[in-house]
Amino acid sequence: MSAGAYNFAYLDEQTKRMIRRAILKAIAIPGYQVPFASREMPMPYGWGTGGVQVTAAIIGPDDVLKVIDQGSDDTTNAVSIRGFFVKTSGVATTTRTDAATVIQTRHRIPETPLAAGQILVYQVPIPEPLRFLEPRETETRTMHALEEYGLMHVKLYEDIARHGHIATTYAYPVKVAGRYVMDPSPTPKFDNPKMHRSPALQLFGAGREKRIYAIPPHTDVVSLDFEDHPFSVQEFDAPCALCGAEGVFLDEVIVDDAGGRMFVCSDSDHCEERRAAGHEGTLAGAPAWSGAAAAAATEDAS
Amino acid sequence: MTGPGAKGGPLLRASGITKFYGDRVGCRDIGFELWPGEVLAIVGESGSGKTTLLNCLATRVVPTAGVIEYRMRDGRMRDLHALSDAERRLLMRTDWGFVHQNPIDGLRMTVSAGGNVGERLMAVGERHYGHIRETATDWLGRVEIAADRVDDDPRSFSGGMRQRLQIARNLVTGPRLVFMDEPTGGLDVSVQARLLDLLRGLVADLGLSAIVVTHDLAVARLLSHRMLVMKGGEVIEEGLTDQVLDDPQAAYTQLLVSSILQV
Amino acid sequence: MYVAVKGGETAIRNAHDLLADRRRGDRAVPDLTLAQIVEQLALSVDRVMTEGSLYDRELAALAIKQARGDLIEAIFLVRAYRTTLPRFGAGEPVDTGAMRIERRISATFKDLPGGQLLGPTFDYTHRLIDFALAAEGETAPPAERQPAGEETPRVTDLLAAEGLVETSLAAAPEAEPGDLTRAPLEFPADRDLRLQNLARGDEGFLLALGYSTQRGYARSHPFAGEIRFGEVEVEFFAEDLGFAVPLGRIAVTECQMINQFKGSAKVPPQFTRGYGLVFGQSERKAIAMALVDRALRWQELGEELTAPAQDEEFVLSHSDNVQATGFVEHLKLPHYVDFQSELELVRRMRREQAAARVEEPGEDAREAAE
C-alpha cells in the first residue's frame, strides 16, 4: 500500500464532503447523533475509525495534528493513527496541546484548556447513551426525538439507592444545549466539566456505529445528576509523582509486586511541559521514566 | 358515584370502535362514554374481544374504524389516534395508568421498588433524589408494601406485592384514568380479595376513572359502577353493574351470572 | 515498570518487522505464489471475495497470503481496499437462470429440466484424511462430457408458473437498490439491504443462525429447492451506448430455499422463499443465508417474532465480522483511564462498606417476601 496511491488524508473528496455535511448537521443540532455513511478504513472498527474519518474530512495541509490515547501521545494506537496521517497527508504533528489545531483523542480531554479555533475530535465506540438501558436503535431514536430521558435518571437513582452515590465514572451522560442527552465517549467523568462552554469545537465520530455528533463552541454541557446528589469529579489524594501537578487526572502505575504504586499525569504532554518549566514531583528526575528511556527499553524488549 | 351530571362532560368517548385482525373480528362497533370518577368494567370470556377493545382505547392498538376522544387536562376533547406520538406518550406516562395482568409486563424487574415508582416522576422532570424516594416510599405505604423494601427489586416480591407495586408505579403521577387488564388474574383468592379491597379504596380516595377488563364478575361487582358485557366481539348488554348482575337481560349474561354468583 | 505503559514508534515498527518475518516463516520453504492460493485454496479465496464483497481472485489470494491465512483478516484487507475504489455504477441484475452450470441440485424434485448435476462437491466423500496428498504425485484429470446444451430453468420459476411459490417481488425498474457501504443502515431495513448485509455477513454467524431456525427457533420448514453453482455474465448499462455491455463472467453459488406457508384468508396456501447468493462456491454460506433471509421476513408474512434469527436489528447489527472483530479485539487497546476511574470507585465503595459494617454490627434479619 503506497501512500502515493491515495488521496490527501486517505479519503476521496466525495466521501469527505459527505462527512462534512454530517458534521455541519451535527453542529447545527448539538448533541444529536447524525447517521453517516461510515467507510471501511484500513484500521479495525473500534480502534478509532470514526475519529479518523472526522479528522480526515476536516484536516488541511496547514493544520497541526496532535493524537492522544489515554491522554498520552506515545501510546501505541495514538502513534499508529498519527503515523497514518503523516503518511497520507504529510501534515505537521505536535505533542503540544497549545500548538495543535486538530487534536484527535481517545478517552481523555487534555489538561491544558483548549482555545477558540482548535478542534477536538473524539473516537467513540458506542455513541448511544441509552444503549445499555434500551438495546434497540428504533426505540432509542424515538426516545431522543420525544426527549424521553426518564430512564437515564432511573439508572442514576438506582446507583444512589444501592451505593449512596452515582457510580458512573466514565462515559458519564451529559445534556447538551438543554436538549439531547449525549455520551461523551469513554472519557473519565473528571473531564466532563471541560466540555462545558469550551471555546473549541468538539466533534465525535463513531465509525462502526456510523454516527457523528458535535458540541459547538460555547455550548452548555451539563452532567446529569440530582439536585441533592450533584455531579462531582474524581479527586486524587496525591499530586503527580513526576511533575507535582494537582487537579489533574492521574494514572496509577504499579511499581513492584508488593503493593507499591505511584500516580502520574495521564496527560503526558502536560506533565512534560510542567517538568520542563521546573515543576517537580516526589519521584522526578528518575531517568527510567523519561520518554527516551522508555522507547529504548521497549526496543530491547522486542 | 359520579353520574352523567358531572360538570364538564365525559372524560372519554368511544364511538364505532371496530378492530379486524385480517378477516377475524376483534371487536365491532362499540361505543360508550366514561365519566370522571366512573369505573367501567368490560366483562366477557376469553376471546370475547374485551382485551382488543381495551388496547384500542389505551392506544396500544390502532382500531380499524371508530373514534376515541379524550378530555385533556385543558378541557378539550381530542381524538386519541390523531395525537402526535409525543402527546400520546406524555399522556400515557402522566395522565394515564395501565395495570397489566402480569406485573412483569408493567414493572422493571431489575430496578428497585423505589426506582419503579419513581420512574414516572423522573420522566416528568423531578430531579431531587430525596423527594423522589420520599414519594416512592409514601406510595409503597399506600399499597401496603413496607418502607424497608424500597431498595429491593420486584424479583424478590410475591405476586400480590408485585401487582401492588405496579399499581403504585402507575398512580404516582396522579393519573385521571387507569386501564386495568385482569388486575387480579393469576393471584390466589385471598390475595385477590386484599388487592380488590385496596384498589377500591384507592379509586374512591383519588376519584379515579378506570376501565377494567375482567372475566370475573365478582371483580366487576366490587370495583365498577357500570359494565359492558361482550361476546363475539360485540357488546350484548350494558348498564349499571348492580342492575346487570341482579337482573341480566341477555341470555348469555344470565348464563354468566348464574354460573358464577352461586357461591 | 513505567516503560510498559508506553508503546512508542520503535516498538510498533519492530513488531511489524517481526510479523513480516513470521508470515514468511522458514526461508528454506518455498514462498507461496498467488497462483497456488487461487488454484489450491480456491474456497478460501471464494470466502474472502464474498465477505470482502469484491470479486478479484488475485487480490483475495494476496490478502490471504498477507494475512497468514487468517480469513477474517484477509476479508478486512479486501474491504479496506474496496472502500477506496471509484464507483462507476451498478451492474445489471445477473441472470442465474442463464448460468453456465457446474453443479446444480434440487432436493425437491428427483428429476427436472436440465437434470441434477453433482459437480465438484465434498458431499458423499468419506472424510478420511488422504495421505496421498502429502506425498508428491499428480491428480488425474476428470472425465469430460460435452454439454448437452439443454436449458436449465430455475426450480422456483417452474413452481411459480403454477402459482405454488410466491413470485419474487420484481423491484420497480427505476428503484435503485440500496448500498449499505454508501449509506448508513437504518432500521427497519428493506430486503435489498438485508440481503446485502447477509451476503457480506460472517459465514459462521449465519451458519449458527440458520441452524437455529432448523432447531425450532423460528422454524420455517425449508426445502432446498435448488442450489446451483457456475458462471454468470455480468453486464453494465453504458449510458453513452444506450445498451448493456458484458463485462465478464463471475462464479456464484445461488440457493433458492422453498419454505412452507399455510396461507391466510386472503392469500391461498403457497410456498415462500428464502434467498442466498455468494461469490464462488460456498453452499454452506448460501444455504445459511437463505434460511436467515426467510426468517427475517416474519413481519411481511404475518408470523410471530420469537427467535434471534428473525430479529432484524440483532442479525444485521452483528453479522459483519470486520466490525465484530474490530470491536471485540479493541479490548486489547489501553483502557487505563476508564479502569483507573473504576478502580477509584471500587476502592471508595469498599471503604464505605467497611465503615458502615463497623457502625452497625449485624442487622441481617430481613423480612422475607410475603
Side-chain angles (χ1 to χ4, degrees), chain B residues 130-149:
Chain B
H131 294 165
I132 295 165
R133 195 176 168 79
E134 207 172 293
T135 311
T137 310
D138 177 50
W139 266 101
L140 291 182
R142 294 170 79 166
V143 297
E144 299 167 14
I145 295 174
D148 69 355
R149 303 303 300 268

Side-chain angles (χ1 to χ4, degrees), chain B residues 1-10 35-37:
Chain B
M1 190 196 314
T2 316
K7 61 176 189 286
W35 290 75

Side-chain angles (χ1 to χ4, degrees), chain B residues 166-241:
Chain B
Q166 190 189 185
I167 289 163
R169 172 176 160 85
N170 272 283
L171 297 186
V172 67
T173 48
R176 294 185 299 156
L177 173 59
V178 178
F179 299 96
M180 299 186 212
D181 186 7
E182 303 277 9
T184 59
L187 298 176
D188 294 344
V189 177
S190 63
V191 179
Q192 278 189 22
R194 183 176 172 194
L195 185 71
L196 279 173
D197 219 37
L198 178 80
L199 268 178
R200 192 156 66 156
L202 286 171
V203 166
D205 290 352
L206 302 168
L208 279 177
S209 302
I211 297 177
V212 185
V213 158
T214 179
H215 68 282
D216 185 345
L217 294 187
V219 171
R221 164 89 81 184
L222 273 168
L223 281 183
S224 73
H225 305 120
R226 221 149 49 84
M227 58 189 282
L228 306 178
V229 182
M230 289 187 71
K231 182 173 188 290
E234 298 184 10
V235 172
I236 53 158
E237 181 159 3
E238 64 176 295
L240 296 176
T241 301

Side-chain angles (χ1 to χ4, degrees), chain C residues 3-29:
Chain C
V3 174
V5 184
K6 307 283 177 177
E9 306 196 18
T10 325
I12 292 180
R13 197 174 55 241
N14 288 343
H16 292 172
D17 289 348
L18 197 54
L19 173 69
D21 175 77
R22 295 293 191 268
R23 187 202 63 71
R24 177 59 184 86
D26 185 351
R27 307 298 197 275
V29 175

Side-chain angles (χ1 to χ4, degrees), chain A residues 255-266:
Chain A
V255 292
D256 55 38
D257 59 0
R261 58 174 95 96
M262 65 171 187
F263 288 87
V264 297
C265 282
S266 136

